[in-house]
Every structure is written in structure tokens, then in C-alpha cells.
Amino acid sequence: MIDPDAELVRSAGAGDTRAAEALVRRHLPKMVGVARRMLSDGAEAEDVAQEVFLRVWREAPRWKPGQAKFETWMHRVALNLCYDRLRRRRERPDPDAGLMVADTRPLASEEWLARQRAARVNAALAQLPERQRAAIALVHFDEMSNIAAAEILEISVEALESLLARGRRALKAALADVAQDLMGGPEGGP
Amino acid sequence: MTKKEETMDRERFAYLLDAYGADFRRWPAQARAQAAAFAAQDAEAAALIGEARKLDAVLDGARDEAGPSADLAARILAAAPRAQRPAFDRRAMLALAACAVFGVLIGYGGGMLAPAPAEDDSYFSMAFEAPSFEDEG
């Protein structure tokens, strides 16, 4: 298995700042993206991404290409950090969570509608069990191959497909009105 | 590899559509061509795809195009490993330490090897010799 990051990781570990910059350019948006999907919180997602890279810098000097690709390992670290934060949220619920979602601008502009739909989707995603949410984040939003996503989640492709199918069915039920609004034409609009 | 990937029938098509949605690019690589062929010849495939496409469109509408904040990359890079300048410094320090030890040894050893000065302490005994009072009185 050829790991496209192996050389960069080795160089970054040896203190090559250009290699470190290349790793950040290549992976930071994905780390933030998957954490946003998991946590529905931009600031927390950036904290997670930063923590992932701190671990990368710690591991890079002694990184040895093994069974998993570096990107796979990074995604696993990111998801585990998200699972930890979600568990802490369950244990200590934030009373202010979700208060920032609503936008009360009076004019129903296209942008406003799009934001409302996005908020609904994010809320529906947040209701999914974590593993289903992670599967959809990786395959739908990150457009990863089924094999790569299954490897990150450390499950078989069949198990991944089961997570995806259950997640998508739940989203379809939760977002039926949004789909109707979006696809149903002008008469379906608000 | 999935159990149901050998043949593409409506059951398998619907199964994969449920999991991956309407965009065949997200499907398992080995199933894409079969899926496209099946969709082209099956009467119900278009309706199934249409349903899956609705959800895809809703999800895509929530795709967050905003990248990470401007200073995040800088903060992360500030913590990246730096080239080990100490590799040179350590050698220099070792060389300095070796020089110091060598200097001490040379100084001490040289001192030991140098001929001992003749022990002439007459000035000492003279200085402390009891004074003679013969001339006095």
C-alpha cells in the first residue's frame, strides 16, 4: 500500500516546515469538515482539527507506515475526539446549545431559505446515532470511497452500507418537507 | 466487498441506492457500470433514483463551503516540529566540554610533570630566626 502522505509526514517530523504546511493544506479542511458534521459547531470543530494536528506533530517524528494510511489514522483521531466531545455533552448538557440556529430576518431571501434548510439538515444529522452520522459525513460529504470510509470506521463495507442506509432513511423521514420544498417547485415553497 | 455485488438486480440496486444515494460516483467502483446499465433498462429505476436524488439535494444544500478560519492553519503550524538545530549545538557543546576537560588535564598534568622548584627556604628560616642580641648592651 502506497501512502501518499508518507514522505510529507517523515519530512514534517524532521522539522521541514514546507512539508508541515503541505500536510495542513491537504488535510485541514477535511478534518474541520468531518468535525463540523459530527459536532454541528464550527468553533469546536476547529479545536478538534487543531488537536488532530498536535497529535500529528507528536507522532510524525516516529511515524512508520503501517497497515493504515496516514489520512485514515487522522480521520480516526478526529472521529474519536468528536465522540469524546459528544459523550461529554451528553454528560454535561449545554443549556445554550442550539440557541444560535434561528435567523429571524423578516425577508425570505434565497440565502435565508438556504440557511434555514442547512440548519434543518444539520439538526437532523445531529439526531442520528454517531456512527451513522460519521458514515454519512465520510461518504456523502467527504466523498470518500466505501473502502476508505469502512477502514476509518474499522468496520466491513457491508456494515458501512448498513450504517449509511439506516442514516439516510432516518434523514429522509426527518427532512421530507425540506425535500418537498426544495424539489417540489414553486408551489411547494413556503 | 459486499455479498450482493455479483449481479445487479432491482433488490441490489435499491440496496446500494439506499446506502450511497443517486450519484453513482459514490457507489462502490465495481458496481458503477452495472448500476448505470441497470438504470438504463429498468422501468422503475428512474423513480428510485429520483427519490434518492431528493435527499442528496437536501444534504448538498447543507454542504458547508466555508473553509477553516484564517488563523487556524497558522496556529497549527506554529506548533509543528522545528528542524533540530541542537544537532549542531550539541556537537559544539561536546567539543567545548572536551576542550575544557583537556585543558584542565593539561594544566594539572603539566603541573605534576614540571620539575619541582629547589627547596630553598633559607629566606624563611632567616626571617624567623631568633634575633641575636649579642651586639646589644
Side-chain angles (χ1 to χ4, degrees), chain A:
Chain A
M1 177 185 65
I2 296 168
D3 190 337
D5 291 321
E7 191 55 46
L8 283 179
V9 175
R10 216 177 353 260
S11 302
D16 181 341
T17 49
R18 283 187 185 175
E21 285 166 9
L23 277 176
V24 169
R25 257 198 315 276
R26 188 180 287 182
H27 295 295
L28 180 59
K30 290 182 200 172
M31 294 300 115
V32 173
V34 79
R36 273 189 188 148
R37 294 289 160 217
M38 293 302 295
L39 300 170
S40 305
D41 183 312
E44 264 202 287
E46 295 206 347
D47 287 347
V48 164
Q50 187 167 359
E51 177 63 27
V52 171
F53 273 94
L54 289 180
R55 294 191 188 194
V56 168
W57 303 149
R58 215 157 47 222
E59 294 299 319
R62 53 176 179 268
W63 173 261
K64 287 190 178 69
Q67 289 187 330
K69 286 202 290 188
F70 195 73
E71 185 180 17
T72 302
W73 175 80
M74 285 182 80
H75 271 93
R76 282 181 191 161
V77 172
L79 284 175
N80 283 330
L81 289 168
C82 291
Y83 294 150
D84 285 348
R85 283 171 181 260
L86 290 168
R87 191 177 54 245
R88 284 203 293 274
R89 274 189 203 169
R90 281 195 300 273
E91 289 164 2
R92 286 175 305 197
D94 177 2
D96 294 334
L99 290 183
M100 302 291 285
V101 173
D103 184 339
T104 52
R105 279 188 294 175
L107 295 176
S109 64
E110 273 306 306
E111 186 192 350
W112 183 85
L113 281 172
R115 285 188 188 186
Q116 293 301 305
R117 286 187 199 116
R120 285 285 311 278
V121 171
N122 287 328
L125 276 168
Q127 293 301 312
L128 291 181
E130 290 166 10
R131 304 278 283 174
Q132 292 178 21
R133 201 183 322 164
I136 288 173
L138 295 174
V139 174
H140 187 89
F141 291 103
D142 261 12
E143 299 184 344
M144 284 196 153
S145 76
N146 57 344
I147 293 170
E151 211 176 307
I152 288 168
L153 296 172
E154 298 180 86
I155 56 177
S156 67
V157 167
E158 265 203 317
L160 172 76
E161 287 170 349
S162 171
L163 286 175
L164 287 169
R166 282 182 284 145
R168 284 180 61 94
R169 274 198 291 271
L171 289 174
K172 187 178 171 185
L175 298 168
D177 60 322
V178 181
Q180 179 60 37
D181 169 35
L182 188 66
M183 309 289 282
E187 69 278 8

